[in-house]
PDB file of all heavy atoms in Angstrom:
ATOM      1  N   ASN A   1       1.757 168.496 209.152  1.00  0.00           N
ATOM      2  CA  ASN A   1       2.570 169.518 208.777  1.00  0.00           C
ATOM      3  C   ASN A   1       2.485 169.843 207.304  1.00  0.00           C
ATOM      4  O   ASN A   1       2.860 169.004 206.439  1.00  0.00           O
ATOM      5  CB  ASN A   1       4.138 169.035 209.143  1.00  0.00           C
ATOM      6  CG  ASN A   1       4.282 168.766 210.577  1.00  0.00           C
ATOM      7  OD1 ASN A   1       3.725 169.451 211.385  1.00  0.00           O
ATOM      8  ND2 ASN A   1       5.150 167.830 210.936  1.00  0.00           N
ATOM      9  N   GLY A   2       1.877 170.952 207.086  1.00  0.00           N
ATOM     10  CA  GLY A   2       1.613 171.344 205.649  1.00  0.00           C
ATOM     11  C   GLY A   2       0.100 171.384 205.541  1.00  0.00           C
ATOM     12  O   GLY A   2      -0.744 171.141 206.351  1.00  0.00           O
ATOM     13  N   THR A   3      -0.360 171.858 204.321  1.00  0.00           N
ATOM     14  CA  THR A   3      -1.704 171.974 204.020  1.00  0.00           C
ATOM     15  C   THR A   3      -2.147 171.087 202.896  1.00  0.00           C
ATOM     16  O   THR A   3      -1.608 171.190 201.781  1.00  0.00           O
ATOM     17  CB  THR A   3      -2.099 173.446 203.693  1.00  0.00           C
ATOM     18  OG1 THR A   3      -1.707 174.272 204.778  1.00  0.00           O
ATOM     19  CG2 THR A   3      -3.607 173.588 203.448  1.00  0.00           C
ATOM     20  N   LEU A   4      -3.173 170.215 203.081  1.00  0.00           N
ATOM     21  CA  LEU A   4      -3.728 169.425 202.016  1.00  0.00           C
ATOM     22  C   LEU A   4      -4.596 170.245 201.146  1.00  0.00           C
ATOM     23  O   LEU A   4      -5.395 171.107 201.552  1.00  0.00           O
ATOM     24  CB  LEU A   4      -4.510 168.204 202.657  1.00  0.00           C
ATOM     25  CG  LEU A   4      -3.670 167.169 203.239  1.00  0.00           C
ATOM     26  CD1 LEU A   4      -4.524 166.134 204.009  1.00  0.00           C
ATOM     27  CD2 LEU A   4      -2.937 166.292 202.165  1.00  0.00           C
ATOM     28  N   ARG A   5      -4.409 170.007 199.811  1.00  0.00           N
ATOM     29  CA  ARG A   5      -5.140 170.811 198.805  1.00  0.00           C
ATOM     30  C   ARG A   5      -6.054 169.902 197.952  1.00  0.00           C
ATOM     31  O   ARG A   5      -5.879 168.718 197.924  1.00  0.00           O
ATOM     32  CB  ARG A   5      -4.254 171.735 198.026  1.00  0.00           C
ATOM     33  CG  ARG A   5      -3.306 172.533 198.936  1.00  0.00           C
ATOM     34  CD  ARG A   5      -2.344 173.368 198.021  1.00  0.00           C
ATOM     35  NE  ARG A   5      -1.360 174.049 198.968  1.00  0.00           N
ATOM     36  CZ  ARG A   5      -1.574 175.073 199.664  1.00  0.00           C
ATOM     37  NH1 ARG A   5      -2.679 175.670 199.585  1.00  0.00           N
ATOM     38  NH2 ARG A   5      -0.618 175.678 200.336  1.00  0.00           N
ATOM     39  N   LYS A   6      -6.865 170.608 197.233  1.00  0.00           N
ATOM     40  CA  LYS A   6      -7.717 169.947 196.129  1.00  0.00           C
ATOM     41  C   LYS A   6      -6.753 169.164 195.116  1.00  0.00           C
ATOM     42  O   LYS A   6      -5.728 169.741 194.769  1.00  0.00           O
ATOM     43  CB  LYS A   6      -8.628 170.886 195.501  1.00  0.00           C
ATOM     44  CG  LYS A   6      -9.573 170.284 194.399  1.00  0.00           C
ATOM     45  CD  LYS A   6     -10.514 171.264 193.863  1.00  0.00           C
ATOM     46  CE  LYS A   6      -9.766 172.256 192.960  1.00  0.00           C
ATOM     47  NZ  LYS A   6     -10.698 173.131 192.108  1.00  0.00           N
ATOM     48  N   GLY A   7      -7.134 167.984 194.651  1.00  0.00           N
ATOM     49  CA  GLY A   7      -6.428 167.243 193.765  1.00  0.00           C
ATOM     50  C   GLY A   7      -5.628 166.094 194.317  1.00  0.00           C
ATOM     51  O   GLY A   7      -5.819 165.772 195.476  1.00  0.00           O
ATOM     52  N   ALA A   8      -4.710 165.554 193.491  1.00  0.00           N
ATOM     53  CA  ALA A   8      -3.858 164.439 193.991  1.00  0.00           C
ATOM     54  C   ALA A   8      -2.808 164.975 195.002  1.00  0.00           C
ATOM     55  O   ALA A   8      -2.145 165.920 194.702  1.00  0.00           O
ATOM     56  CB  ALA A   8      -3.143 163.722 192.876  1.00  0.00           C
ATOM     57  N   GLN A   9      -2.746 164.314 196.093  1.00  0.00           N
ATOM     58  CA  GLN A   9      -1.896 164.733 197.200  1.00  0.00           C
ATOM     59  C   GLN A   9      -1.154 163.445 197.805  1.00  0.00           C
ATOM     60  O   GLN A   9      -1.778 162.408 197.800  1.00  0.00           O
ATOM     61  CB  GLN A   9      -2.694 165.387 198.371  1.00  0.00           C
ATOM     62  CG  GLN A   9      -3.364 166.743 197.985  1.00  0.00           C
ATOM     63  CD  GLN A   9      -2.468 167.852 197.922  1.00  0.00           C
ATOM     64  OE1 GLN A   9      -2.135 168.546 198.941  1.00  0.00           O
ATOM     65  NE2 GLN A   9      -1.941 168.161 196.715  1.00  0.00           N
ATOM     66  N   VAL A  10       0.042 163.701 198.183  1.00  0.00           N
ATOM     67  CA  VAL A  10       0.912 162.613 198.775  1.00  0.00           C
ATOM     68  C   VAL A  10       1.077 163.002 200.202  1.00  0.00           C
ATOM     69  O   VAL A  10       1.577 164.025 200.507  1.00  0.00           O
ATOM     70  CB  VAL A  10       2.202 162.433 198.008  1.00  0.00           C
ATOM     71  CG1 VAL A  10       3.091 161.312 198.674  1.00  0.00           C
ATOM     72  CG2 VAL A  10       2.006 162.002 196.598  1.00  0.00           C
ATOM     73  N   ILE A  11       0.807 162.018 201.152  1.00  0.00           N
ATOM     74  CA  ILE A  11       1.007 162.260 202.488  1.00  0.00           C
ATOM     75  C   ILE A  11       2.006 161.192 203.024  1.00  0.00           C
ATOM     76  O   ILE A  11       1.963 159.997 202.824  1.00  0.00           O
ATOM     77  CB  ILE A  11      -0.333 161.899 203.335  1.00  0.00           C
ATOM     78  CG1 ILE A  11      -1.395 162.804 202.682  1.00  0.00           C
ATOM     79  CG2 ILE A  11      -0.189 162.170 204.825  1.00  0.00           C
ATOM     80  CD1 ILE A  11      -2.862 162.426 203.290  1.00  0.00           C
ATOM     81  N   ARG A  12       3.057 161.715 203.629  1.00  0.00           N
ATOM     82  CA  ARG A  12       4.129 160.950 204.262  1.00  0.00           C
ATOM     83  C   ARG A  12       3.621 160.675 205.675  1.00  0.00           C
ATOM     84  O   ARG A  12       3.470 161.652 206.472  1.00  0.00           O
ATOM     85  CB  ARG A  12       5.495 161.609 204.248  1.00  0.00           C
ATOM     86  CG  ARG A  12       6.622 160.876 204.963  1.00  0.00           C
ATOM     87  CD  ARG A  12       7.847 161.731 204.996  1.00  0.00           C
ATOM     88  NE  ARG A  12       8.839 161.170 205.926  1.00  0.00           N
ATOM     89  CZ  ARG A  12       9.931 160.537 205.620  1.00  0.00           C
ATOM     90  NH1 ARG A  12      10.209 160.381 204.325  1.00  0.00           N
ATOM     91  NH2 ARG A  12      10.764 160.187 206.587  1.00  0.00           N
ATOM     92  N   VAL A  13       3.466 159.420 206.045  1.00  0.00           N
ATOM     93  CA  VAL A  13       2.912 159.141 207.354  1.00  0.00           C
ATOM     94  C   VAL A  13       3.982 158.556 208.295  1.00  0.00           C
ATOM     95  O   VAL A  13       4.698 157.544 207.937  1.00  0.00           O
ATOM     96  CB  VAL A  13       1.725 158.079 207.311  1.00  0.00           C
ATOM     97  CG1 VAL A  13       1.191 157.741 208.636  1.00  0.00           C
ATOM     98  CG2 VAL A  13       0.633 158.580 206.353  1.00  0.00           C
ATOM     99  N   GLU A  14       4.188 159.234 209.465  1.00  0.00           N
ATOM    100  CA  GLU A  14       5.224 158.774 210.505  1.00  0.00           C
ATOM    101  C   GLU A  14       4.469 158.521 211.720  1.00  0.00           C
ATOM    102  O   GLU A  14       3.522 159.108 212.054  1.00  0.00           O
ATOM    103  CB  GLU A  14       6.241 159.848 210.527  1.00  0.00           C
ATOM    104  CG  GLU A  14       7.012 160.255 209.322  1.00  0.00           C
ATOM    105  CD  GLU A  14       7.972 161.395 209.446  1.00  0.00           C
ATOM    106  OE1 GLU A  14       8.027 161.902 210.596  1.00  0.00           O
ATOM    107  OE2 GLU A  14       8.578 161.776 208.476  1.00  0.00           O
ATOM    108  N   THR A  15       5.062 157.578 212.552  1.00  0.00           N
ATOM    109  CA  THR A  15       4.477 157.258 213.824  1.00  0.00           C
ATOM    110  C   THR A  15       5.456 157.503 214.928  1.00  0.00           C
ATOM    111  O   THR A  15       6.140 156.506 215.452  1.00  0.00           O
ATOM    112  CB  THR A  15       3.955 155.775 213.832  1.00  0.00           C
ATOM    113  OG1 THR A  15       3.206 155.610 212.712  1.00  0.00           O
ATOM    114  CG2 THR A  15       3.193 155.491 215.086  1.00  0.00           C
ATOM    115  N   PRO A  16       5.531 158.682 215.449  1.00  0.00           N
ATOM    116  CA  PRO A  16       6.450 158.909 216.623  1.00  0.00           C
ATOM    117  C   PRO A  16       5.940 158.225 217.887  1.00  0.00           C
ATOM    118  O   PRO A  16       6.654 157.915 218.850  1.00  0.00           O
ATOM    119  CB  PRO A  16       6.437 160.440 216.816  1.00  0.00           C
ATOM    120  CG  PRO A  16       6.016 161.024 215.508  1.00  0.00           C
ATOM    121  CD  PRO A  16       5.030 159.936 215.006  1.00  0.00           C
ATOM    122  N   GLY A  17       4.577 157.916 217.855  1.00  0.00           N
ATOM    123  CA  GLY A  17       4.030 157.110 218.914  1.00  0.00           C
ATOM    124  C   GLY A  17       4.028 157.667 220.354  1.00  0.00           C
ATOM    125  O   GLY A  17       3.631 158.850 220.574  1.00  0.00           O
ATOM    126  N   PRO A  18       4.446 156.888 221.318  1.00  0.00           N
ATOM    127  CA  PRO A  18       5.214 155.666 221.061  1.00  0.00           C
ATOM    128  C   PRO A  18       4.318 154.438 220.841  1.00  0.00           C
ATOM    129  O   PRO A  18       4.847 153.310 220.597  1.00  0.00           O
ATOM    130  CB  PRO A  18       5.950 155.404 222.465  1.00  0.00           C
ATOM    131  CG  PRO A  18       5.090 156.203 223.487  1.00  0.00           C
ATOM    132  CD  PRO A  18       4.480 157.372 222.704  1.00  0.00           C
ATOM    133  N   SER A  19       3.023 154.595 220.910  1.00  0.00           N
ATOM    134  CA  SER A  19       2.196 153.439 220.621  1.00  0.00           C
ATOM    135  C   SER A  19       1.912 153.212 219.110  1.00  0.00           C
ATOM    136  O   SER A  19       2.278 154.127 218.325  1.00  0.00           O
ATOM    137  CB  SER A  19       0.747 153.674 221.308  1.00  0.00           C
ATOM    138  OG  SER A  19       0.892 153.791 222.692  1.00  0.00           O
ATOM    139  N   MET A  20       1.440 152.095 218.740  1.00  0.00           N
ATOM    140  CA  MET A  20       1.022 151.793 217.409  1.00  0.00           C
ATOM    141  C   MET A  20      -0.171 152.570 217.044  1.00  0.00           C
ATOM    142  O   MET A  20      -1.131 152.744 217.999  1.00  0.00           O
ATOM    143  CB  MET A  20       0.739 150.308 217.175  1.00  0.00           C
ATOM    144  CG  MET A  20       1.921 149.358 217.298  1.00  0.00           C
ATOM    145  SD  MET A  20       1.554 147.620 217.529  1.00  0.00           S
ATOM    146  CE  MET A  20       0.576 147.276 216.013  1.00  0.00           C
ATOM    147  N   HIS A  21      -0.256 153.123 215.838  1.00  0.00           N
ATOM    148  CA  HIS A  21      -1.484 153.841 215.428  1.00  0.00           C
ATOM    149  C   HIS A  21      -1.829 153.644 214.016  1.00  0.00           C
ATOM    150  O   HIS A  21      -0.970 152.980 213.220  1.00  0.00           O
ATOM    151  CB  HIS A  21      -1.214 155.399 215.671  1.00  0.00           C
ATOM    152  CG  HIS A  21      -0.988 155.775 217.075  1.00  0.00           C
ATOM    153  ND1 HIS A  21      -2.050 155.802 217.990  1.00  0.00           N
ATOM    154  CD2 HIS A  21       0.086 156.314 217.760  1.00  0.00           C
ATOM    155  CE1 HIS A  21      -1.523 156.221 219.164  1.00  0.00           C
ATOM    156  NE2 HIS A  21      -0.317 156.505 218.996  1.00  0.00           N
ATOM    157  N   GLU A  22      -3.034 154.020 213.530  1.00  0.00           N
ATOM    158  CA  GLU A  22      -3.394 154.024 212.220  1.00  0.00           C
ATOM    159  C   GLU A  22      -4.205 155.265 211.895  1.00  0.00           C
ATOM    160  O   GLU A  22      -4.520 156.078 212.842  1.00  0.00           O
ATOM    161  CB  GLU A  22      -4.323 152.742 211.963  1.00  0.00           C
ATOM    162  CG  GLU A  22      -5.628 152.820 212.745  1.00  0.00           C
ATOM    163  CD  GLU A  22      -6.365 151.558 212.536  1.00  0.00           C
ATOM    164  OE1 GLU A  22      -5.869 150.434 212.107  1.00  0.00           O
ATOM    165  OE2 GLU A  22      -7.628 151.498 212.797  1.00  0.00           O
ATOM    166  N   VAL A  23      -4.427 155.515 210.611  1.00  0.00           N
ATOM    167  CA  VAL A  23      -5.232 156.757 210.240  1.00  0.00           C
ATOM    168  C   VAL A  23      -6.124 156.271 209.111  1.00  0.00           C
ATOM    169  O   VAL A  23      -5.765 155.797 208.063  1.00  0.00           O
ATOM    170  CB  VAL A  23      -4.388 157.937 209.852  1.00  0.00           C
ATOM    171  CG1 VAL A  23      -3.369 157.538 208.736  1.00  0.00           C
ATOM    172  CG2 VAL A  23      -5.208 159.105 209.506  1.00  0.00           C
ATOM    173  N   ASP A  24      -7.480 156.551 209.369  1.00  0.00           N
ATOM    174  CA  ASP A  24      -8.493 156.309 208.296  1.00  0.00           C
ATOM    175  C   ASP A  24      -8.860 157.796 207.911  1.00  0.00           C
ATOM    176  O   ASP A  24      -9.080 158.666 208.829  1.00  0.00           O
ATOM    177  CB  ASP A  24      -9.699 155.601 208.792  1.00  0.00           C
ATOM    178  CG  ASP A  24      -9.347 154.096 208.821  1.00  0.00           C
ATOM    179  OD1 ASP A  24      -8.868 153.559 207.903  1.00  0.00           O
ATOM    180  OD2 ASP A  24      -9.619 153.497 209.945  1.00  0.00           O
ATOM    181  N   ILE A  25      -9.080 158.021 206.629  1.00  0.00           N
ATOM    182  CA  ILE A  25      -9.598 159.391 206.208  1.00  0.00           C
ATOM    183  C   ILE A  25     -11.023 159.166 205.725  1.00  0.00           C
ATOM    184  O   ILE A  25     -11.337 158.356 204.831  1.00  0.00           O
ATOM    185  CB  ILE A  25      -8.694 159.859 204.993  1.00  0.00           C
ATOM    186  CG1 ILE A  25      -7.231 159.846 205.367  1.00  0.00           C
ATOM    187  CG2 ILE A  25      -9.073 161.182 204.520  1.00  0.00           C
ATOM    188  CD1 ILE A  25      -6.310 160.123 204.219  1.00  0.00           C
ATOM    189  N   PHE A  26     -11.892 160.065 206.304  1.00  0.00           N
ATOM    190  CA  PHE A  26     -13.356 160.057 205.985  1.00  0.00           C
ATOM    191  C   PHE A  26     -13.647 161.462 205.308  1.00  0.00           C
ATOM    192  O   PHE A  26     -13.176 162.511 205.897  1.00  0.00           O
ATOM    193  CB  PHE A  26     -14.116 159.838 207.199  1.00  0.00           C
ATOM    194  CG  PHE A  26     -14.095 158.428 207.752  1.00  0.00           C
ATOM    195  CD1 PHE A  26     -13.133 158.139 208.730  1.00  0.00           C
ATOM    196  CD2 PHE A  26     -14.837 157.420 207.294  1.00  0.00           C
ATOM    197  CE1 PHE A  26     -13.106 156.928 209.295  1.00  0.00           C
ATOM    198  CE2 PHE A  26     -14.727 156.173 207.758  1.00  0.00           C
ATOM    199  CZ  PHE A  26     -13.823 155.805 208.779  1.00  0.00           C
ATOM    200  N   ARG A  27     -14.454 161.422 204.395  1.00  0.00           N
ATOM    201  CA  ARG A  27     -15.061 162.717 203.822  1.00  0.00           C
ATOM    202  C   ARG A  27     -16.517 162.814 204.380  1.00  0.00           C
ATOM    203  O   ARG A  27     -17.348 161.979 204.017  1.00  0.00           O
ATOM    204  CB  ARG A  27     -14.962 162.713 202.379  1.00  0.00           C
ATOM    205  CG  ARG A  27     -15.507 164.124 201.786  1.00  0.00           C
ATOM    206  CD  ARG A  27     -15.369 164.074 200.219  1.00  0.00           C
ATOM    207  NE  ARG A  27     -15.563 165.372 199.630  1.00  0.00           N
ATOM    208  CZ  ARG A  27     -16.767 165.906 199.468  1.00  0.00           C
ATOM    209  NH1 ARG A  27     -17.900 165.267 199.632  1.00  0.00           N
ATOM    210  NH2 ARG A  27     -16.902 167.140 198.934  1.00  0.00           N
TER     211      ARG A  27
END
């Protein structure tokens, strides 16, 4: 929800799930 932009960015991570999840960011 929202658009990531160039530079320092803050991401609020929520897990509605219902399972456990993780996120890795790759360039």
Side-chain angles (χ1 to χ4, degrees):
N1 298 327
T3 302
L4 285 167
R5 305 181 188 281
K6 182 177 69 172
Q9 298 280 277
V10 177
I11 305 171
R12 176 185 166 110
V13 181
E14 302 175 359
T15 308
S19 302
M20 294 164 58
H21 296 292
E22 64 185 18
V23 56
D24 287 308
I25 304 173
F26 292 94
R27 186 177 189 274

